[in-house]
Amino acid sequence: MSRTIRPRRRLLAALAVLSGLGLVAASPATADTLYHEQYRPQFHFTPAQNWLNDPNGLIYYKGQYHLFFQHNPSGNSWGNISWGHAVSTDLVHWKQLPVAIPQDDQEMIFSGGVVLDRNNTTGFGTRKNPPLVAVYTSAQKASGKQQQALAYSTDGGTTWTKYHDNPVLDIGSNNFRDPKVFWYAPTQRWLMAVSLADQHKIAFYSSADLKHWTHQSDFGPAGATGGVWECPDLFPLQVDGDPKKTKWVLAVNLNPGGIAGGSGAQYFVGDFDGKKFTSDDTGSYTPPSGTVTQDFESGSFGDWTATGDAFGSAPATGAVDWQSQVTGFEGEAFANSFHGGDASTGTLTSPEFTVTGDYLNFKIGGGDHPYDPDAVLGDVPAPTGETLADFEGSTYTSPIGDWTATGEAFGTGPAQGTLPDQGQVSGYLGNGLVNSYLNGDATTGTLTSPTFTIDKKYLDFLIGGGYHPASSDAPTAVELIVDGQVVRSATGSNGEALSWASWDLSDLQGKQAQIKVVDANTGGWGHINLDQVVLSDTQAKIPSVQTGVNLLVDGEVVDSATGAGSEALDWASFNTMAHKGKKARIQIVDANSGGWGHILADQFTVADKPALTSTQRAHWLDYGADFYAANTWTDAPGGRRVMIAWMNNWNYGQAIPTSPWRSADSFPRQLSLRTVDGKVRLIQQPVRELTGLRGARTQLPTTQVENTATPLAVDGGSLELQADLTPGSADRAGLDVRTGAGQRTRIGYDTATGEVYIDRSNSGATDFDPTFSGVQRAPLALDGGRLSLRVLVDASSVEVYAQNSRGEQVTLTDQIFPDPSSTGVDAFAEGGTATLDHMQAWQLKSIWR
């Protein structure tokens, strides 16, 4: 990573602004490192310091692009949410300004938009000096209500005044947020798109003066509905560049439920008449035809075998007692394990059958509790042995003596279950446990056992809470200390349910040891839960908490699906090609007695093609893991529509290993609509101003790669790459970027699945959250043609624009955290030969120099 120091005058000006905010001290050390820290993006916007999330109030005004953003002015995790502010003349180089709209004792300033009130409809300015007006969500601290409010600026956005008669729109909801407002010329009215988050709806309101609003219509549920809907944006675009043909695009962000897991951004194309948005995609879906093997329509489970009491004595014909409305099942009946509520458990298993088809399609709903191959289905006895602590007393006393607490997180004694404002804690034994959520995640401390002798093979314990390993900067972990060194450690999995963990102590027999429980984390999931610490000769077994459908072949689970935390059933599919001719069973499992501890299933069908989930059928702005809260600039020159997004994911957003800032924005993208195979699709490209950052260009000759990775004559931490890929006979082929030090981020094409993918499992630092490492995929059929790739590589991100010969496009955006020395680029092919040609590479200059 470049550590070039920027020109002194520009650096001192930036430090002066930040010093005025109380953010940084203008010290020589700061001057040397500001904007050049490890992982600091060099051509993506980041705040100089502290937390950033959603982009807000995007507007072009008097030669400047204004970027407001969700910001914690005093910390590196979410909190104290205010509107930060930055400006740019070219969408590339940014100047951070003082906080625009600060939070106060009554409200936090959630997402929203900014408009230029040209006709001074609000009266906040004059016709000669019309005001900029921010329409934002006022998140009330006392009640949790979310209301729409106004602030205005008459000095070009530098200083802001809150409207004295806020809120201007209040429906009494805690899930009513993120207004995007624009002027609709045909009706001479202001229009607002705002999220009814938990209803999966976007509400539309109109106003003459931005102060008084009238409800017009709602859109949704539609598309992907796996999480709350947030940050809507509605705008028109020409189709195929034809000014006589215009469609409207509605962008809707959701969390969780994104295509890559966690946060995601989808879009709808349709028509808008000033009151109502109508999507071109009606949402109707006909799955592939096939042979139905079980539809539960007979009135009984037939030859399927039920255990436990969760599934009742027969299929359900709708919601059962205390259950919310169930939708999406086929016919009249389906399997429903909510009999007796979430606390009941059981299984429903098919008779053995021979696998004959390519796919097994079915509908599934209910709780999101995936299959764990290390967990055991059924009752799991607690391990026996020497109990070092069960935390049942009022103080931290135990059979081996008193445990010692420091800090505030652990209090003076064990917790009696769930603490105030905490999600439901489950899985502990008895009444007490160690729980460092005392007074919330912000508290820290340690809890250390007396010394004991290791005289058994295993140390077993129940653990839950945050996933922050002992190796991280701010761990939430249980550590085993021997001879002053940490020799074993474990952390939670970002869940309040405690589960058994076990350490093999075979190599430590006879040693003196201590257990240290550490909470050094003040961010999200910054706490740890512990119970029932036992020295034992038996290894603790993990009990299954699955709610799902399993395919068992020869008695082993070979595929599994779970619900999405919803009472709506959706299609799912198992690929059974590799199991043809083998004996199999279907097992529907409810092993969970906690929240959403039930499963719904229906319409098991053998078919030649897979059924697609509503998530797979949705139209995604980006298929990567790190593109959320996407929004566009208002009033951009030439009518261009430019989008930017928060380049992070709520799954792990507060755990990424960056300091003194956390989170970046995606590189701005220009949007257009193109007709592809008779359907109108959104096309995205980096804004043209990117070319101003280009430095040295490298043009590479055509490269053939066979079953290997071949280094290319390109090197750098900030790059733009363009190439055409012909997969040829290869199973998978593409580019590896940020290679070196045993690391790589793989950008490839999988010919078997017809997908572009990013594999960041070996990209560098990945251990800060269990959901970070993995592969993100996007469907894009090549039909024997070439894949055109455009890739932006930065210190901690890759953005991939991929297009086939028909003009169909997908994009993928992922964060990565490689070693600064990992700057190589390779071409690779697996299982055959591929060709890379027309490849060009540019070094990209830092915007912070």
Side-chain angles (χ1 to χ4, degrees), residues 1-7 10 34-37 40-44 46 90 92-94 667 690 692-695 717-719 793-795 843-849:
M1 181 183 297
S2 169
R3 299 185 65 84
T4 303
I5 300 174
R6 294 168 292 153
R10 184 172 177 181
L34 186 65
Y35 289 108
H36 295 284
E37 306 89 347
R40 173 77 82 166
Q42 292 302 291
F43 62 94
H44 292 78
T46 51
D90 62 1
V92 175
H93 299 87
W94 294 95
F667 193 79
L690 172 68
L693 292 179
R694 288 176 177 174
S718 299
L719 296 169
V793 182
D794 206 344
Q843 304 286 334
L844 295 181
K845 303 168 187 175
S846 173
I847 65 174
W848 305 120
R849 293 175 183 171

mmCIF file of all heavy atoms in Angstrom, residues 1-7 10 34-37 40-44 46 90 92-94 667 690 692-695 717-719 793-795 843-849:
data_model
loop_
_atom_site.group_PDB
_atom_site.id
_atom_site.type_symbol
_atom_site.label_atom_id
_atom_site.label_comp_id
_atom_site.label_asym_id
_atom_site.label_seq_id
_atom_site.Cartn_x
_atom_site.Cartn_y
_atom_site.Cartn_z
ATOM 1 N N MET A 1 0.848 -1.202 0.000
ATOM 2 C CA MET A 1 0.000 0.000 0.000
ATOM 3 C C MET A 1 0.879 1.247 0.000
ATOM 4 O O MET A 1 1.856 1.330 0.744
ATOM 5 C CB MET A 1 -0.884 0.007 1.251
ATOM 6 C CG MET A 1 -1.814 1.207 1.344
ATOM 7 S SD MET A 1 -2.746 1.186 2.867
ATOM 8 C CE MET A 1 -3.685 -0.310 2.653
ATOM 9 N N SER A 2 0.532 2.203 -0.822
ATOM 10 C CA SER A 2 1.286 3.443 -0.897
ATOM 11 C C SER A 2 1.203 4.204 0.420
ATOM 12 O O SER A 2 0.166 4.269 1.050
ATOM 13 C CB SER A 2 0.741 4.332 -2.020
ATOM 14 O OG SER A 2 1.299 5.610 -1.942
ATOM 15 N N ARG A 3 2.314 4.747 0.833
ATOM 16 C CA ARG A 3 2.323 5.580 2.033
ATOM 17 C C ARG A 3 2.801 6.990 1.685
ATOM 18 O O ARG A 3 3.341 7.696 2.515
ATOM 19 C CB ARG A 3 3.214 4.955 3.106
ATOM 20 C CG ARG A 3 2.736 3.576 3.533
ATOM 21 C CD ARG A 3 3.583 3.043 4.680
ATOM 22 N NE ARG A 3 3.432 3.835 5.875
ATOM 23 C CZ ARG A 3 2.457 3.674 6.762
ATOM 24 N NH1 ARG A 3 1.516 2.786 6.542
ATOM 25 N NH2 ARG A 3 2.399 4.415 7.853
ATOM 26 N N THR A 4 2.600 7.367 0.418
ATOM 27 C CA THR A 4 2.998 8.712 -0.019
ATOM 28 C C THR A 4 2.241 9.766 0.780
ATOM 29 O O THR A 4 1.037 9.699 0.932
ATOM 30 C CB THR A 4 2.695 8.897 -1.512
ATOM 31 O OG1 THR A 4 3.367 7.864 -2.232
ATOM 32 C CG2 THR A 4 3.153 10.254 -1.991
ATOM 33 N N ILE A 5 2.954 10.766 1.292
ATOM 34 C CA ILE A 5 2.326 11.836 2.067
ATOM 35 C C ILE A 5 1.767 12.872 1.104
ATOM 36 O O ILE A 5 2.429 13.299 0.160
ATOM 37 C CB ILE A 5 3.349 12.493 3.008
ATOM 38 C CG1 ILE A 5 3.892 11.429 3.983
ATOM 39 C CG2 ILE A 5 2.721 13.638 3.774
ATOM 40 C CD1 ILE A 5 5.006 11.948 4.858
ATOM 41 N N ARG A 6 0.542 13.275 1.335
ATOM 42 C CA ARG A 6 -0.076 14.274 0.480
ATOM 43 C C ARG A 6 0.601 15.635 0.650
ATOM 44 O O ARG A 6 1.270 15.888 1.651
ATOM 45 C CB ARG A 6 -1.563 14.408 0.834
ATOM 46 C CG ARG A 6 -2.361 13.171 0.517
ATOM 47 C CD ARG A 6 -3.721 13.260 1.142
ATOM 48 N NE ARG A 6 -3.590 13.202 2.598
ATOM 49 C CZ ARG A 6 -4.458 13.756 3.427
ATOM 50 N NH1 ARG A 6 -5.473 14.422 2.960
ATOM 51 N NH2 ARG A 6 -4.299 13.640 4.714
ATOM 52 N N PRO A 7 0.416 16.527 -0.319
ATOM 53 C CA PRO A 7 0.985 17.871 -0.182
ATOM 54 C C PRO A 7 0.574 18.505 1.135
ATOM 55 O O PRO A 7 -0.570 18.409 1.560
ATOM 56 C CB PRO A 7 0.393 18.624 -1.379
ATOM 57 C CG PRO A 7 0.146 17.555 -2.405
ATOM 58 C CD PRO A 7 -0.240 16.340 -1.611
ATOM 59 N N ARG A 10 -2.743 20.802 1.576
ATOM 60 C CA ARG A 10 -4.022 20.091 1.561
ATOM 61 C C ARG A 10 -4.212 19.274 2.838
ATOM 62 O O ARG A 10 -5.295 19.200 3.401
ATOM 63 C CB ARG A 10 -4.089 19.180 0.343
ATOM 64 C CG ARG A 10 -5.416 18.464 0.190
ATOM 65 C CD ARG A 10 -5.480 17.747 -1.123
ATOM 66 N NE ARG A 10 -6.706 16.997 -1.251
ATOM 67 C CZ ARG A 10 -7.016 16.257 -2.290
ATOM 68 N NH1 ARG A 10 -6.182 16.178 -3.297
ATOM 69 N NH2 ARG A 10 -8.154 15.587 -2.326
ATOM 70 N N LEU A 34 -2.537 9.491 7.989
ATOM 71 C CA LEU A 34 -3.927 9.745 7.673
ATOM 72 C C LEU A 34 -4.222 9.402 6.216
ATOM 73 O O LEU A 34 -3.538 9.855 5.314
ATOM 74 C CB LEU A 34 -4.265 11.208 7.946
ATOM 75 C CG LEU A 34 -5.745 11.590 7.796
ATOM 76 C CD1 LEU A 34 -6.595 10.877 8.827
ATOM 77 C CD2 LEU A 34 -5.905 13.099 7.931
ATOM 78 N N TYR A 35 -5.228 8.552 6.000
ATOM 79 C CA TYR A 35 -5.666 8.056 4.701
ATOM 80 C C TYR A 35 -4.684 7.066 4.068
ATOM 81 O O TYR A 35 -4.853 6.680 2.915
ATOM 82 C CB TYR A 35 -5.937 9.202 3.722
ATOM 83 C CG TYR A 35 -7.174 9.981 4.059
ATOM 84 C CD1 TYR A 35 -7.081 11.268 4.580
ATOM 85 C CD2 TYR A 35 -8.436 9.434 3.870
ATOM 86 C CE1 TYR A 35 -8.216 11.997 4.896
ATOM 87 C CE2 TYR A 35 -9.580 10.142 4.179
ATOM 88 C CZ TYR A 35 -9.459 11.435 4.698
ATOM 89 O OH TYR A 35 -10.587 12.136 5.006
ATOM 90 N N HIS A 36 -3.684 6.634 4.796
ATOM 91 C CA HIS A 36 -2.756 5.640 4.274
ATOM 92 C C HIS A 36 -2.560 4.487 5.250
ATOM 93 O O HIS A 36 -1.569 3.768 5.185
ATOM 94 C CB HIS A 36 -1.418 6.295 3.903
ATOM 95 C CG HIS A 36 -1.546 7.281 2.784
ATOM 96 N ND1 HIS A 36 -1.688 6.902 1.462
ATOM 97 C CD2 HIS A 36 -1.629 8.634 2.794
ATOM 98 C CE1 HIS A 36 -1.827 7.976 0.709
ATOM 99 N NE2 HIS A 36 -1.789 9.043 1.490
ATOM 100 N N GLU A 37 -3.533 4.289 6.128
ATOM 101 C CA GLU A 37 -3.481 3.177 7.058
ATOM 102 C C GLU A 37 -3.712 1.852 6.317
ATOM 103 O O GLU A 37 -4.233 1.844 5.198
ATOM 104 C CB GLU A 37 -4.558 3.330 8.149
ATOM 105 C CG GLU A 37 -4.520 4.650 8.899
ATOM 106 C CD GLU A 37 -5.360 5.731 8.241
ATOM 107 O OE1 GLU A 37 -5.780 5.563 7.076
ATOM 108 O OE2 GLU A 37 -5.572 6.774 8.900
ATOM 109 N N ARG A 40 -6.927 0.999 4.134
ATOM 110 C CA ARG A 40 -7.626 2.230 3.769
ATOM 111 C C ARG A 40 -7.810 2.283 2.253
ATOM 112 O O ARG A 40 -6.836 2.278 1.501
ATOM 113 C CB ARG A 40 -6.855 3.449 4.231
ATOM 114 C CG ARG A 40 -7.423 4.777 3.744
ATOM 115 C CD ARG A 40 -8.658 5.206 4.516
ATOM 116 N NE ARG A 40 -8.289 5.853 5.774
ATOM 117 C CZ ARG A 40 -9.122 6.564 6.528
ATOM 118 N NH1 ARG A 40 -10.376 6.729 6.139
ATOM 119 N NH2 ARG A 40 -8.712 7.081 7.678
ATOM 120 N N PRO A 41 -9.059 2.341 1.759
ATOM 121 C CA PRO A 41 -9.282 2.475 0.319
ATOM 122 C C PRO A 41 -8.608 3.734 -0.222
ATOM 123 O O PRO A 41 -8.621 4.779 0.426
ATOM 124 C CB PRO A 41 -10.807 2.566 0.212
ATOM 125 C CG PRO A 41 -11.316 1.886 1.444
ATOM 126 C CD PRO A 41 -10.321 2.219 2.508
ATOM 127 N N GLN A 42 -8.069 3.622 -1.422
ATOM 128 C CA GLN A 42 -7.352 4.742 -2.012
ATOM 129 C C GLN A 42 -8.144 5.472 -3.094
ATOM 130 O O GLN A 42 -7.755 6.550 -3.516
ATOM 131 C CB GLN A 42 -6.011 4.268 -2.563
ATOM 132 C CG GLN A 42 -5.031 3.850 -1.478
ATOM 133 C CD GLN A 42 -4.746 4.960 -0.481
ATOM 134 O OE1 GLN A 42 -4.117 5.954 -0.833
ATOM 135 N NE2 GLN A 42 -5.217 4.821 0.748
ATOM 136 N N PHE A 43 -9.270 4.895 -3.575
ATOM 137 C CA PHE A 43 -10.103 5.656 -4.506
ATOM 138 C C PHE A 43 -11.593 5.495 -4.200
ATOM 139 O O PHE A 43 -12.444 5.762 -5.049
ATOM 140 C CB PHE A 43 -9.785 5.314 -5.969
ATOM 141 C CG PHE A 43 -10.034 3.889 -6.389
ATOM 142 C CD1 PHE A 43 -11.239 3.510 -6.970
ATOM 143 C CD2 PHE A 43 -9.054 2.920 -6.232
ATOM 144 C CE1 PHE A 43 -11.460 2.215 -7.381
ATOM 145 C CE2 PHE A 43 -9.268 1.608 -6.640
ATOM 146 C CZ PHE A 43 -10.480 1.259 -7.210
ATOM 147 N N HIS A 44 -11.914 5.068 -2.989
ATOM 148 C CA HIS A 44 -13.290 5.030 -2.503
ATOM 149 C C HIS A 44 -13.412 5.988 -1.323
ATOM 150 O O HIS A 44 -12.479 6.117 -0.525
ATOM 151 C CB HIS A 44 -13.673 3.631 -2.035
ATOM 152 C CG HIS A 44 -13.774 2.622 -3.135
ATOM 153 N ND1 HIS A 44 -12.656 2.035 -3.698
ATOM 154 C CD2 HIS A 44 -14.850 2.097 -3.786
ATOM 155 C CE1 HIS A 44 -13.046 1.186 -4.635
ATOM 156 N NE2 HIS A 44 -14.368 1.213 -4.706
ATOM 157 N N THR A 46 -14.034 7.292 2.218
ATOM 158 C CA THR A 46 -14.121 6.873 3.616
ATOM 159 C C THR A 46 -14.048 8.121 4.479
ATOM 160 O O THR A 46 -13.391 9.104 4.103
ATOM 161 C CB THR A 46 -12.959 5.944 4.021
ATOM 162 O OG1 THR A 46 -11.712 6.550 3.647
ATOM 163 C CG2 THR A 46 -13.070 4.588 3.351
ATOM 164 N N ASP A 90 -16.109 16.021 -8.852
ATOM 165 C CA ASP A 90 -15.938 15.036 -9.928
ATOM 166 C C ASP A 90 -16.355 13.620 -9.530
ATOM 167 O O ASP A 90 -16.071 12.675 -10.290
ATOM 168 C CB ASP A 90 -14.479 15.030 -10.404
ATOM 169 C CG ASP A 90 -13.495 14.625 -9.307
ATOM 170 O OD1 ASP A 90 -13.936 14.333 -8.166
ATOM 171 O OD2 ASP A 90 -12.287 14.590 -9.591
ATOM 172 N N VAL A 92 -15.063 11.732 -7.546
ATOM 173 C CA VAL A 92 -13.873 10.913 -7.294
ATOM 174 C C VAL A 92 -13.088 11.449 -6.101
ATOM 175 O O VAL A 92 -12.793 10.721 -5.155
ATOM 176 C CB VAL A 92 -12.972 10.863 -8.549
ATOM 177 C CG1 VAL A 92 -11.680 10.112 -8.252
ATOM 178 C CG2 VAL A 92 -13.707 10.205 -9.714
ATOM 179 N N HIS A 93 -12.738 12.737 -6.143
ATOM 180 C CA HIS A 93 -11.987 13.358 -5.052
ATOM 181 C C HIS A 93 -12.974 14.013 -4.085
ATOM 182 O O HIS A 93 -13.802 14.830 -4.495
ATOM 183 C CB HIS A 93 -11.016 14.400 -5.596
ATOM 184 C CG HIS A 93 -9.999 13.828 -6.526
ATOM 185 N ND1 HIS A 93 -10.226 13.676 -7.878
ATOM 186 C CD2 HIS A 93 -8.743 13.348 -6.290
ATOM 187 C CE1 HIS A 93 -9.157 13.143 -8.438
ATOM 188 N NE2 HIS A 93 -8.238 12.932 -7.504
ATOM 189 N N TRP A 94 -12.860 13.651 -2.808
ATOM 190 C CA TRP A 94 -13.841 14.105 -1.822
ATOM 191 C C TRP A 94 -13.182 14.942 -0.734
ATOM 192 O O TRP A 94 -12.056 14.657 -0.306
ATOM 193 C CB TRP A 94 -14.525 12.902 -1.172
ATOM 194 C CG TRP A 94 -15.360 12.128 -2.145
ATOM 195 C CD1 TRP A 94 -14.989 11.020 -2.859
ATOM 196 C CD2 TRP A 94 -16.695 12.434 -2.547
ATOM 197 N NE1 TRP A 94 -16.012 10.610 -3.674
ATOM 198 C CE2 TRP A 94 -17.073 11.456 -3.508
ATOM 199 C CE3 TRP A 94 -17.606 13.431 -2.196
ATOM 200 C CZ2 TRP A 94 -18.327 11.450 -4.105
ATOM 201 C CZ3 TRP A 94 -18.857 13.423 -2.791
ATOM 202 C CH2 TRP A 94 -19.209 12.441 -3.730
ATOM 203 N N PHE A 667 -17.640 2.612 -5.359
ATOM 204 C CA PHE A 667 -17.291 3.629 -6.346
ATOM 205 C C PHE A 667 -18.564 4.000 -7.097
ATOM 206 O O PHE A 667 -19.373 3.134 -7.446
ATOM 207 C CB PHE A 667 -16.227 3.113 -7.313
ATOM 208 C CG PHE A 667 -15.624 4.207 -8.140
ATOM 209 C CD1 PHE A 667 -14.652 5.035 -7.608
ATOM 210 C CD2 PHE A 667 -16.057 4.442 -9.429
ATOM 211 C CE1 PHE A 667 -14.108 6.072 -8.353
ATOM 212 C CE2 PHE A 667 -15.528 5.463 -10.189
ATOM 213 C CZ PHE A 667 -14.554 6.289 -9.646
ATOM 214 N N LEU A 690 -13.624 8.075 -13.508
ATOM 215 C CA LEU A 690 -12.592 7.138 -13.063
ATOM 216 C C LEU A 690 -11.335 7.250 -13.916
ATOM 217 O O LEU A 690 -10.212 7.084 -13.410
ATOM 218 C CB LEU A 690 -13.142 5.703 -13.121
ATOM 219 C CG LEU A 690 -12.140 4.577 -12.863
ATOM 220 C CD1 LEU A 690 -11.679 4.592 -11.410
ATOM 221 C CD2 LEU A 690 -12.744 3.220 -13.207
ATOM 222 N N GLY A 692 -9.760 9.625 -14.913
ATOM 223 C CA GLY A 692 -8.833 10.637 -14.429
ATOM 224 C C GLY A 692 -7.859 10.120 -13.394
ATOM 225 O O GLY A 692 -6.856 10.782 -13.097
ATOM 226 N N LEU A 693 -8.137 8.949 -12.838
ATOM 227 C CA LEU A 693 -7.226 8.348 -11.866
ATOM 228 C C LEU A 693 -6.224 7.405 -12.513
ATOM 229 O O LEU A 693 -5.298 6.934 -11.844
ATOM 230 C CB LEU A 693 -8.022 7.563 -10.809
ATOM 231 C CG LEU A 693 -8.891 8.369 -9.849
ATOM 232 C CD1 LEU A 693 -9.616 7.425 -8.886
ATOM 233 C CD2 LEU A 693 -8.053 9.386 -9.067
ATOM 234 N N ARG A 694 -6.427 7.122 -13.795
ATOM 235 C CA ARG A 694 -5.556 6.149 -14.434
ATOM 236 C C ARG A 694 -4.119 6.644 -14.518
ATOM 237 O O ARG A 694 -3.853 7.777 -14.929
ATOM 238 C CB ARG A 694 -6.060 5.821 -15.836
ATOM 239 C CG ARG A 694 -7.327 4.977 -15.858
ATOM 240 C CD ARG A 694 -7.812 4.782 -17.281
ATOM 241 N NE ARG A 694 -8.991 3.925 -17.350
ATOM 242 C CZ ARG A 694 -9.679 3.686 -18.460
ATOM 243 N NH1 ARG A 694 -9.303 4.265 -19.605
ATOM 244 N NH2 ARG A 694 -10.730 2.881 -18.443
ATOM 245 N N GLY A 695 -3.219 5.765 -14.133
ATOM 246 C CA GLY A 695 -1.799 6.025 -14.299
ATOM 247 C C GLY A 695 -1.253 5.161 -15.412
ATOM 248 O O GLY A 695 -1.810 5.112 -16.516
ATOM 249 N N GLY A 717 -1.947 -2.440 -5.682
ATOM 250 C CA GLY A 717 -3.032 -2.520 -4.716
ATOM 251 C C GLY A 717 -4.268 -1.768 -5.147
ATOM 252 O O GLY A 717 -5.344 -1.983 -4.600
ATOM 253 N N SER A 718 -4.141 -0.865 -6.134
ATOM 254 C CA SER A 718 -5.274 -0.105 -6.667
ATOM 255 C C SER A 718 -5.214 -0.189 -8.181
ATOM 256 O O SER A 718 -4.340 0.411 -8.811
ATOM 257 C CB SER A 718 -5.212 1.355 -6.220
ATOM 258 O OG SER A 718 -5.260 1.455 -4.812
ATOM 259 N N LEU A 719 -6.157 -0.953 -8.760
ATOM 260 C CA LEU A 719 -6.081 -1.278 -10.175
ATOM 261 C C LEU A 719 -7.452 -1.210 -10.828
ATOM 262 O O LEU A 719 -8.479 -1.431 -10.183
ATOM 263 C CB LEU A 719 -5.548 -2.702 -10.371
ATOM 264 C CG LEU A 719 -4.124 -3.027 -9.920
ATOM 265 C CD1 LEU A 719 -3.911 -4.527 -9.952
ATOM 266 C CD2 LEU A 719 -3.108 -2.323 -10.805
ATOM 267 N N VAL A 793 -10.048 -2.838 -8.278
ATOM 268 C CA VAL A 793 -9.372 -3.423 -7.123
ATOM 269 C C VAL A 793 -8.829 -2.294 -6.264
ATOM 270 O O VAL A 793 -8.134 -1.403 -6.769
ATOM 271 C CB VAL A 793 -8.218 -4.348 -7.549
ATOM 272 C CG1 VAL A 793 -7.565 -4.990 -6.330
ATOM 273 C CG2 VAL A 793 -8.703 -5.413 -8.520
ATOM 274 N N ASP A 794 -9.148 -2.316 -4.979
ATOM 275 C CA ASP A 794 -8.627 -1.305 -4.062
ATOM 276 C C ASP A 794 -8.011 -2.001 -2.856
ATOM 277 O O ASP A 794 -7.973 -3.238 -2.783
ATOM 278 C CB ASP A 794 -9.740 -0.338 -3.645
ATOM 279 C CG ASP A 794 -9.225 1.044 -3.232
ATOM 280 O OD1 ASP A 794 -8.011 1.183 -2.982
ATOM 281 O OD2 ASP A 794 -10.035 1.983 -3.154
ATOM 282 N N ALA A 795 -7.582 -1.211 -1.886
ATOM 283 C CA ALA A 795 -6.891 -1.768 -0.722
ATOM 284 C C ALA A 795 -7.738 -2.780 0.032
ATOM 285 O O ALA A 795 -7.208 -3.725 0.633
ATOM 286 C CB ALA A 795 -6.461 -0.645 0.215
ATOM 287 N N GLN A 843 -2.838 1.248 -13.334
ATOM 288 C CA GLN A 843 -2.631 1.644 -11.951
ATOM 289 C C GLN A 843 -3.547 2.835 -11.673
ATOM 290 O O GLN A 843 -3.667 3.730 -12.512
ATOM 291 C CB GLN A 843 -1.173 2.052 -11.719
ATOM 292 C CG GLN A 843 -0.144 0.998 -12.089
ATOM 293 C CD GLN A 843 -0.090 -0.144 -11.108
ATOM 294 O OE1 GLN A 843 -0.443 0.036 -9.938
ATOM 295 N NE2 GLN A 843 0.339 -1.320 -11.550
ATOM 296 N N LEU A 844 -4.200 2.836 -10.520
ATOM 297 C CA LEU A 844 -5.084 3.940 -10.167
ATOM 298 C C LEU A 844 -4.444 4.777 -9.063
ATOM 299 O O LEU A 844 -3.977 4.242 -8.051
ATOM 300 C CB LEU A 844 -6.443 3.411 -9.714
ATOM 301 C CG LEU A 844 -7.258 2.685 -10.789
ATOM 302 C CD1 LEU A 844 -8.591 2.221 -10.214
ATOM 303 C CD2 LEU A 844 -7.486 3.575 -12.013
ATOM 304 N N LYS A 845 -4.441 6.078 -9.270
ATOM 305 C CA LYS A 845 -3.830 7.001 -8.321
ATOM 306 C C LYS A 845 -4.699 7.135 -7.068
ATOM 307 O O LYS A 845 -5.921 7.008 -7.129
ATOM 308 C CB LYS A 845 -3.636 8.373 -8.958
ATOM 309 C CG LYS A 845 -2.805 8.359 -10.230
ATOM 310 C CD LYS A 845 -2.897 9.697 -10.950
ATOM 311 C CE LYS A 845 -2.225 9.654 -12.307
ATOM 312 N NZ LYS A 845 -2.419 10.917 -13.061
ATOM 313 N N SER A 846 -4.080 7.446 -5.965
ATOM 314 C CA SER A 846 -4.816 7.687 -4.728
ATOM 315 C C SER A 846 -5.534 9.028 -4.794
ATOM 316 O O SER A 846 -4.976 10.024 -5.278
ATOM 317 C CB SER A 846 -3.866 7.680 -3.529
ATOM 318 O OG SER A 846 -4.553 8.081 -2.358
ATOM 319 N N ILE A 847 -6.768 9.060 -4.320
ATOM 320 C CA ILE A 847 -7.509 10.329 -4.269
ATOM 321 C C ILE A 847 -7.119 11.140 -3.041
ATOM 322 O O ILE A 847 -7.569 12.286 -2.890
ATOM 323 C CB ILE A 847 -9.025 10.096 -4.274
ATOM 324 C CG1 ILE A 847 -9.484 9.361 -2.998
ATOM 325 C CG2 ILE A 847 -9.442 9.337 -5.518
ATOM 326 C CD1 ILE A 847 -10.999 9.220 -2.881
ATOM 327 N N TRP A 848 -6.287 10.587 -2.170
ATOM 328 C CA TRP A 848 -5.949 11.266 -0.908
ATOM 329 C C TRP A 848 -4.589 11.936 -0.953
ATOM 330 O O TRP A 848 -4.173 12.536 0.018
ATOM 331 C CB TRP A 848 -5.970 10.271 0.243
ATOM 332 C CG TRP A 848 -7.273 9.520 0.352
ATOM 333 C CD1 TRP A 848 -7.455 8.176 0.264
ATOM 334 C CD2 TRP A 848 -8.574 10.077 0.573
ATOM 335 N NE1 TRP A 848 -8.781 7.857 0.403
ATOM 336 C CE2 TRP A 848 -9.495 9.009 0.590
ATOM 337 C CE3 TRP A 848 -9.062 11.376 0.733
ATOM 338 C CZ2 TRP A 848 -10.856 9.197 0.786
ATOM 339 C CZ3 TRP A 848 -10.422 11.561 0.919
ATOM 340 C CH2 TRP A 848 -11.303 10.486 0.952
ATOM 341 N N ARG A 849 -3.877 11.826 -2.048
ATOM 342 C CA ARG A 849 -2.535 12.415 -2.106
ATOM 343 C C ARG A 849 -2.608 13.925 -2.255
ATOM 344 O O ARG A 849 -3.536 14.450 -2.829
ATOM 345 C CB ARG A 849 -1.752 11.819 -3.273
ATOM 346 C CG ARG A 849 -1.450 10.334 -3.057
ATOM 347 C CD ARG A 849 -0.792 9.723 -4.272
ATOM 348 N NE ARG A 849 -0.579 8.296 -4.056
ATOM 349 C CZ ARG A 849 -0.190 7.457 -5.002
ATOM 350 N NH1 ARG A 849 0.021 7.891 -6.226
ATOM 351 N NH2 ARG A 849 -0.021 6.187 -4.735
#
